[in-house]
Amino acid sequence: MGKNYEPASDFLKDIIAEEIPLSETGFGAINLRRLIAFTQDENATNRDWATLLLAQTALDTPDVRTALLRAFDDEDIYVSAEALLGVAERDRHLALPLARQALQRDFAPMAVFEAVTIIADASLTDLMRPWVEPSGQDWLDDCAQTALNACLGKGDITN
């Protein structure tokens, strides 16, 4: 992703610019439903941004969780990773099996490691170990190490 990576949708650009409110009531609720719809958009860039924006909201409704869980299954690895992070921020237990799945893929974006850091479950330790090998991207390596350290410092959240 380049520094000019932005969605094709003007609606999403307006959310990024904080010109459109999101909430559970009134006009903000209409915008929230529209944002959720964009998580399934045909355009991968729109899906990525919509999932990121949805994950970053403080809103935690059944519709938000459903949209994030659905986005986790997206074919685009970045959309999936942003969805995982959004789920982790809302419910570590719900995110734990998704994190296991994400860590077994061939590639893990930074958002996966951010989610693992939040989940901080010891059962993810062995799945995290291969990701801390030097990748040539120091910022990503640091993020992976932070995630592993979080897992090593915590117990099992399922108990």
Side-chain angles (χ1 to χ4, degrees):
M1 288 183 269
K3 72 177 186 178
N4 294 324
Y5 180 72
E6 62 180 35
S9 163
D10 288 334
F11 173 75
L12 295 175
K13 290 176 188 176
D14 287 344
I15 293 175
I16 294 165
E18 299 180 0
E19 295 174 2
I20 292 181
L22 299 171
S23 67
E24 295 180 52
T25 60
F27 188 61
I30 294 168
N31 293 332
L32 178 60
R33 284 192 298 275
R34 190 170 175 199
L35 175 61
I36 287 171
F38 267 104
T39 65
Q40 298 294 301
D41 195 71
E42 194 173 280
N43 181 299
T45 304
N46 284 341
R47 288 195 318 273
D48 184 30
W49 273 101
T51 303
L52 168 72
L53 292 166
L54 186 62
Q56 289 180 345
T57 70
L59 301 171
D60 187 13
T61 68
D63 288 343
V64 169
R65 285 186 182 215
T66 298
L68 290 170
L69 288 169
R70 189 174 41 228
F72 177 77
D73 290 328
D74 196 283
E75 65 188 29
D76 185 293
I77 194 79
Y78 294 99
V79 173
S80 180
E82 293 296 347
L84 171 59
L85 180 55
V87 173
E89 289 173 339
R90 287 160 178 81
D91 186 332
R92 293 170 48 219
H93 291 88
L94 184 60
L96 181 58
L98 304 179
R100 285 188 186 114
Q101 204 177 330
L103 290 171
Q104 293 179 55
R105 295 176 178 157
D106 292 334
F107 178 75
M110 184 175 66
V112 170
F113 303 134
E114 291 173 328
V116 169
T117 301
I118 292 167
I119 298 165
D121 188 90
S123 69
L124 297 175
T125 301
D126 288 341
L127 291 171
M128 274 304 305
R129 289 194 191 282
W131 295 105
V132 296
E133 296 296 322
S135 71
Q137 296 178 332
D138 291 343
W139 58 272
L140 188 60
D141 294 345
D142 290 344
C143 196
Q145 187 63 56
T146 298
L148 176 60
N149 291 345
C151 294
L152 290 169
K154 302 288 182 175
D156 186 342
I157 64 172
T158 58
N159 290 332

